[in-house]
Amino acid sequence: MPLPVKGKNIVARSSSGGPLDGEDPPEELRAPLTEHLEELRNRILRSVAILVVAWVAAWYLIKPLYVALDGHITPAIKQGLPSATKF
């Protein structure tokens, strides 16, 4: 079954390495190594960009998140401690 990727069809392969429908894909549908490397580079850059955005967002949201979680966790901890324990 061909899968569309950026205007090209790529044939899905089984675990043995052959195409799922039993036929070899035509030569014009096989992607050269450079196209695979470009796709890998794009995916890595996209992943790094998402990580940077998440890190920056977490940097600014750490205090409100801590306060919100602390407000729920501290009473639960106090409730579970023996009465003679100071917290």
Short mmCIF file of all heavy atoms in Angstrom, two decimals, residues 19-55:
data_model
loop_
_atom_site.label_atom_id
_atom_site.label_comp_id
_atom_site.label_asym_id
_atom_site.label_seq_id
_atom_site.Cartn_x
_atom_site.Cartn_y
_atom_site.Cartn_z
N PRO A 19 8.09 -5.47 0.21
CA PRO A 19 6.85 -4.70 0.24
C PRO A 19 5.69 -5.55 0.70
O PRO A 19 5.70 -6.77 0.54
CB PRO A 19 6.67 -4.22 -1.19
CG PRO A 19 7.63 -4.98 -2.01
CD PRO A 19 8.64 -5.60 -1.10
N LEU A 20 4.68 -4.95 1.25
CA LEU A 20 3.55 -5.68 1.79
C LEU A 20 2.71 -6.37 0.71
O LEU A 20 2.14 -7.42 0.93
CB LEU A 20 2.65 -4.75 2.61
CG LEU A 20 3.27 -4.22 3.90
CD1 LEU A 20 2.32 -3.24 4.56
CD2 LEU A 20 3.58 -5.35 4.85
N ASP A 21 2.63 -5.79 -0.48
CA ASP A 21 1.82 -6.39 -1.53
C ASP A 21 2.58 -7.41 -2.35
O ASP A 21 2.05 -7.97 -3.30
CB ASP A 21 1.23 -5.30 -2.43
CG ASP A 21 2.30 -4.45 -3.09
OD1 ASP A 21 3.50 -4.72 -2.87
OD2 ASP A 21 1.93 -3.52 -3.82
N GLY A 22 3.83 -7.69 -2.04
CA GLY A 22 4.60 -8.72 -2.72
C GLY A 22 5.34 -8.24 -3.94
O GLY A 22 6.04 -9.00 -4.58
N GLU A 23 5.19 -7.00 -4.34
CA GLU A 23 5.88 -6.47 -5.51
C GLU A 23 6.95 -5.46 -5.09
O GLU A 23 6.80 -4.78 -4.09
CB GLU A 23 4.89 -5.77 -6.43
CG GLU A 23 3.83 -6.67 -7.00
CD GLU A 23 2.85 -5.90 -7.87
OE1 GLU A 23 3.17 -4.75 -8.25
OE2 GLU A 23 1.79 -6.44 -8.17
N ASP A 24 8.03 -5.39 -5.86
CA ASP A 24 9.03 -4.36 -5.62
C ASP A 24 8.50 -3.03 -6.12
O ASP A 24 7.85 -2.97 -7.17
CB ASP A 24 10.35 -4.68 -6.34
CG ASP A 24 11.13 -5.77 -5.64
OD1 ASP A 24 10.93 -5.92 -4.43
OD2 ASP A 24 11.94 -6.46 -6.30
N PRO A 25 8.77 -1.95 -5.39
CA PRO A 25 8.29 -0.64 -5.86
C PRO A 25 9.09 -0.23 -7.09
O PRO A 25 10.24 -0.59 -7.25
CB PRO A 25 8.57 0.29 -4.69
CG PRO A 25 9.66 -0.38 -3.93
CD PRO A 25 9.47 -1.85 -4.13
N PRO A 26 8.45 0.52 -7.98
CA PRO A 26 9.18 1.02 -9.14
C PRO A 26 10.35 1.89 -8.70
O PRO A 26 10.32 2.51 -7.64
CB PRO A 26 8.14 1.84 -9.90
CG PRO A 26 6.83 1.44 -9.34
CD PRO A 26 7.07 0.92 -7.97
N GLU A 27 11.37 1.93 -9.51
CA GLU A 27 12.60 2.67 -9.17
C GLU A 27 12.33 4.15 -8.92
O GLU A 27 12.95 4.76 -8.07
CB GLU A 27 13.63 2.50 -10.28
CG GLU A 27 15.03 2.91 -9.89
CD GLU A 27 15.58 2.10 -8.72
OE1 GLU A 27 15.34 0.89 -8.65
OE2 GLU A 27 16.26 2.70 -7.88
N GLU A 28 11.36 4.75 -9.63
CA GLU A 28 11.10 6.18 -9.45
C GLU A 28 10.43 6.49 -8.12
O GLU A 28 10.39 7.63 -7.70
CB GLU A 28 10.27 6.74 -10.61
CG GLU A 28 8.87 6.19 -10.70
CD GLU A 28 8.75 4.96 -11.59
OE1 GLU A 28 9.77 4.46 -12.08
OE2 GLU A 28 7.63 4.51 -11.80
N LEU A 29 9.90 5.48 -7.43
CA LEU A 29 9.26 5.71 -6.14
C LEU A 29 10.22 5.52 -4.97
O LEU A 29 9.90 5.85 -3.85
CB LEU A 29 8.07 4.77 -5.96
CG LEU A 29 6.91 4.99 -6.92
CD1 LEU A 29 5.79 4.02 -6.61
CD2 LEU A 29 6.41 6.41 -6.85
N ARG A 30 11.39 4.98 -5.21
CA ARG A 30 12.37 4.81 -4.14
C ARG A 30 13.07 6.13 -3.88
O ARG A 30 13.50 6.82 -4.80
CB ARG A 30 13.41 3.76 -4.52
CG ARG A 30 12.83 2.38 -4.57
CD ARG A 30 13.89 1.37 -4.77
NE ARG A 30 13.29 0.04 -4.83
CZ ARG A 30 13.96 -1.03 -5.09
NH1 ARG A 30 15.26 -0.96 -5.34
NH2 ARG A 30 13.36 -2.19 -5.13
N ALA A 31 13.17 6.49 -2.61
CA ALA A 31 13.80 7.76 -2.24
C ALA A 31 15.30 7.56 -2.10
O ALA A 31 15.75 6.59 -1.49
CB ALA A 31 13.23 8.27 -0.93
N PRO A 32 16.10 8.48 -2.66
CA PRO A 32 17.54 8.36 -2.48
C PRO A 32 17.94 8.69 -1.04
O PRO A 32 17.15 9.24 -0.27
CB PRO A 32 18.11 9.37 -3.47
CG PRO A 32 17.01 10.32 -3.74
CD PRO A 32 15.73 9.57 -3.55
N LEU A 33 19.15 8.35 -0.70
CA LEU A 33 19.65 8.56 0.65
C LEU A 33 19.54 10.01 1.08
O LEU A 33 19.19 10.31 2.22
CB LEU A 33 21.11 8.08 0.74
CG LEU A 33 21.79 8.26 2.09
CD1 LEU A 33 21.07 7.46 3.16
CD2 LEU A 33 23.24 7.87 2.01
N THR A 34 19.80 10.95 0.17
CA THR A 34 19.75 12.36 0.54
C THR A 34 18.35 12.78 0.98
O THR A 34 18.20 13.58 1.90
CB THR A 34 20.22 13.25 -0.62
OG1 THR A 34 19.45 12.95 -1.78
CG2 THR A 34 21.69 13.04 -0.90
N GLU A 35 17.32 12.21 0.34
CA GLU A 35 15.95 12.55 0.76
C GLU A 35 15.65 12.00 2.15
O GLU A 35 14.98 12.65 2.95
CB GLU A 35 14.94 12.02 -0.25
CG GLU A 35 14.91 12.81 -1.54
CD GLU A 35 13.83 12.34 -2.49
OE1 GLU A 35 12.82 11.77 -2.00
OE2 GLU A 35 13.99 12.54 -3.69
N HIS A 36 16.15 10.81 2.42
CA HIS A 36 15.96 10.25 3.76
C HIS A 36 16.68 11.09 4.81
O HIS A 36 16.16 11.34 5.90
CB HIS A 36 16.47 8.81 3.81
CG HIS A 36 15.60 7.84 3.11
ND1 HIS A 36 14.34 7.52 3.54
CD2 HIS A 36 15.81 7.12 1.98
CE1 HIS A 36 13.81 6.64 2.71
NE2 HIS A 36 14.68 6.38 1.76
N LEU A 37 17.88 11.55 4.49
CA LEU A 37 18.63 12.38 5.43
C LEU A 37 17.97 13.73 5.63
O LEU A 37 17.97 14.26 6.74
CB LEU A 37 20.08 12.55 4.94
CG LEU A 37 20.92 11.28 4.97
CD1 LEU A 37 22.29 11.55 4.36
CD2 LEU A 37 21.06 10.74 6.37
N GLU A 38 17.39 14.31 4.58
CA GLU A 38 16.67 15.58 4.71
C GLU A 38 15.46 15.40 5.62
O GLU A 38 15.18 16.26 6.46
CB GLU A 38 16.24 16.09 3.34
CG GLU A 38 17.37 16.62 2.49
CD GLU A 38 16.92 17.00 1.10
OE1 GLU A 38 15.70 17.01 0.84
OE2 GLU A 38 17.80 17.26 0.27
N GLU A 39 14.73 14.30 5.44
CA GLU A 39 13.57 14.03 6.28
C GLU A 39 13.98 13.85 7.73
O GLU A 39 13.35 14.37 8.65
CB GLU A 39 12.84 12.79 5.77
CG GLU A 39 11.62 12.43 6.59
CD GLU A 39 10.48 13.42 6.43
OE1 GLU A 39 10.44 14.16 5.42
OE2 GLU A 39 9.64 13.46 7.34
N LEU A 40 15.08 13.14 7.96
CA LEU A 40 15.59 12.95 9.31
C LEU A 40 16.00 14.28 9.93
O LEU A 40 15.67 14.56 11.09
CB LEU A 40 16.78 11.98 9.30
CG LEU A 40 17.46 11.72 10.63
CD1 LEU A 40 16.49 11.07 11.61
CD2 LEU A 40 18.69 10.85 10.43
N ARG A 41 16.69 15.12 9.17
CA ARG A 41 17.09 16.43 9.67
C ARG A 41 15.87 17.26 10.04
O ARG A 41 15.84 17.90 11.10
CB ARG A 41 17.92 17.16 8.60
CG ARG A 41 18.40 18.54 9.09
CD ARG A 41 18.95 19.38 7.98
NE ARG A 41 17.87 19.68 7.05
CZ ARG A 41 18.04 19.92 5.76
NH1 ARG A 41 19.23 19.88 5.23
NH2 ARG A 41 17.01 20.19 5.00
N ASN A 42 14.85 17.25 9.18
CA ASN A 42 13.63 18.01 9.47
C ASN A 42 12.95 17.52 10.73
O ASN A 42 12.48 18.32 11.55
CB ASN A 42 12.67 17.94 8.29
CG ASN A 42 13.18 18.70 7.08
OD1 ASN A 42 14.00 19.60 7.21
ND2 ASN A 42 12.71 18.31 5.92
N ARG A 43 12.89 16.22 10.92
CA ARG A 43 12.26 15.67 12.12
C ARG A 43 13.07 16.01 13.38
O ARG A 43 12.49 16.33 14.42
CB ARG A 43 12.09 14.16 11.99
CG ARG A 43 11.03 13.79 11.00
CD ARG A 43 10.95 12.30 10.83
NE ARG A 43 10.02 11.95 9.78
CZ ARG A 43 8.86 11.35 10.00
NH1 ARG A 43 8.50 11.01 11.21
NH2 ARG A 43 8.07 11.07 8.99
N ILE A 44 14.38 15.96 13.28
CA ILE A 44 15.22 16.30 14.44
C ILE A 44 15.06 17.78 14.78
O ILE A 44 14.91 18.13 15.96
CB ILE A 44 16.70 15.94 14.17
CG1 ILE A 44 16.87 14.41 14.15
CG2 ILE A 44 17.61 16.57 15.21
CD1 ILE A 44 18.23 13.94 13.72
N LEU A 45 15.10 18.64 13.78
CA LEU A 45 14.95 20.08 14.03
C LEU A 45 13.57 20.39 14.63
O LEU A 45 13.46 21.21 15.54
CB LEU A 45 15.16 20.87 12.74
CG LEU A 45 16.60 20.92 12.23
CD1 LEU A 45 16.64 21.64 10.88
CD2 LEU A 45 17.50 21.60 13.22
N ARG A 46 12.53 19.73 14.12
CA ARG A 46 11.19 19.94 14.67
C ARG A 46 11.12 19.48 16.12
O ARG A 46 10.54 20.15 16.97
CB ARG A 46 10.18 19.17 13.81
CG ARG A 46 8.78 19.63 13.99
CD ARG A 46 7.81 18.97 13.02
NE ARG A 46 8.39 18.77 11.71
CZ ARG A 46 8.24 17.65 11.00
NH1 ARG A 46 7.53 16.65 11.45
NH2 ARG A 46 8.80 17.53 9.81
N SER A 47 11.74 18.35 16.42
CA SER A 47 11.74 17.84 17.80
C SER A 47 12.49 18.78 18.74
O SER A 47 12.03 19.05 19.85
CB SER A 47 12.39 16.45 17.84
OG SER A 47 11.66 15.54 17.07
N VAL A 48 13.62 19.29 18.29
CA VAL A 48 14.40 20.21 19.13
C VAL A 48 13.61 21.50 19.34
O VAL A 48 13.59 22.04 20.46
CB VAL A 48 15.78 20.49 18.49
CG1 VAL A 48 16.48 21.65 19.17
CG2 VAL A 48 16.64 19.24 18.55
N ALA A 49 12.94 21.99 18.31
CA ALA A 49 12.15 23.21 18.44
C ALA A 49 11.01 23.01 19.44
O ALA A 49 10.75 23.89 20.28
CB ALA A 49 11.59 23.64 17.09
N ILE A 50 10.37 21.87 19.40
CA ILE A 50 9.29 21.59 20.35
C ILE A 50 9.83 21.50 21.77
O ILE A 50 9.21 22.02 22.71
CB ILE A 50 8.54 20.30 19.94
CG1 ILE A 50 7.74 20.57 18.67
CG2 ILE A 50 7.64 19.80 21.05
CD1 ILE A 50 7.17 19.33 18.04
N LEU A 51 10.99 20.88 21.94
CA LEU A 51 11.59 20.80 23.27
C LEU A 51 11.95 22.18 23.80
O LEU A 51 11.76 22.47 24.99
CB LEU A 51 12.83 19.91 23.24
CG LEU A 51 12.57 18.41 23.15
CD1 LEU A 51 13.88 17.67 22.93
CD2 LEU A 51 11.89 17.93 24.40
N VAL A 52 12.48 23.05 22.95
CA VAL A 52 12.85 24.40 23.38
C VAL A 52 11.60 25.19 23.79
O VAL A 52 11.60 25.86 24.82
CB VAL A 52 13.64 25.13 22.27
CG1 VAL A 52 13.76 26.62 22.55
CG2 VAL A 52 15.02 24.50 22.11
N VAL A 53 10.53 25.08 23.00
CA VAL A 53 9.29 25.79 23.33
C VAL A 53 8.73 25.28 24.67
O VAL A 53 8.31 26.07 25.52
CB VAL A 53 8.26 25.63 22.20
CG1 VAL A 53 6.88 26.10 22.64
CG2 VAL A 53 8.71 26.40 20.97
N ALA A 54 8.75 23.97 24.86
CA ALA A 54 8.25 23.40 26.12
C ALA A 54 9.11 23.83 27.29
O ALA A 54 8.60 24.11 28.38
CB ALA A 54 8.20 21.87 26.02
N TRP A 55 10.42 23.90 27.11
CA TRP A 55 11.33 24.31 28.17
C TRP A 55 11.09 25.77 28.55
O TRP A 55 11.03 26.11 29.74
CB TRP A 55 12.77 24.10 27.72
CG TRP A 55 13.80 24.43 28.73
CD1 TRP A 55 13.76 24.20 30.07
CD2 TRP A 55 15.05 25.08 28.49
NE1 TRP A 55 14.91 24.65 30.67
CE2 TRP A 55 15.72 25.19 29.72
CE3 TRP A 55 15.67 25.55 27.34
CZ2 TRP A 55 16.98 25.77 29.84
CZ3 TRP A 55 16.93 26.12 27.47
CH2 TRP A 55 17.56 26.22 28.70
#
